[in-house]
Amino acid sequence: TRADSRTWRNAGAEPRVCLTVDLGRAWTEIAGVSIRGLAERLPAEDAAMRRPISAWYEKYRPLLAGQGFERFAEQVRGLAFLRVEPTRLASWDHARD
């Protein structure tokens, strides 16, 4: 997220969060996961973020080559992260019997 975003401010005021990721279009294809937990706000400069940022950079290195990273940095100013400690997980898969 961005440090000046509503998401960042909301997590500071109320750290209980829910993340939901799903995929599929038709009812029989839909699958996903919901993660409830407590969010900890971490600025990009936090020491705990070095390893995840390095892994992210390695994954997207081809896209960030040349001026790619410079363009990314211009578009995403004030990068910040939320680390979520899960307290409850739920998943669904409508394609399964």
Side-chain angles (χ1 to χ4, degrees), residues 43-46 48-58 79 81:
E45 303 79 28
D46 192 286
M49 293 310 303
R50 287 186 187 135
R51 179 185 251 166
I53 289 174
S54 292
W56 175 85
Y57 182 80
E58 287 302 317
L79 188 61
F81 297 89

Side-chain angles (χ1 to χ4, degrees), residues 8-82:
W8 182 261
R9 289 190 306 272
N10 287 350
E14 173 56 76
R16 294 178 299 167
V17 298
C18 181
L19 308 169
T20 301
V21 179
D22 62 6
L23 58 88
R25 290 181 179 240
W27 176 258
T28 56
E29 300 172 338
I30 297 175
V33 63
S34 177
I35 304 166
R36 292 178 187 249
L38 297 176
E40 176 186 2
R41 299 187 318 166
L42 298 171
E45 303 79 28
D46 192 286
M49 293 310 303
R50 287 186 187 135
R51 179 185 251 166
I53 289 174
S54 292
W56 175 85
Y57 182 80
E58 287 302 317
K59 180 178 180 178
Y60 295 104
R61 181 189 296 265
L63 295 173
L64 300 172
Q67 293 181 333
F69 188 78
E70 184 179 329
R71 285 193 308 269
F72 169 79
E74 287 173 3
Q75 293 175 8
V76 184
R77 297 201 183 275
L79 188 61
F81 297 89
L82 299 174

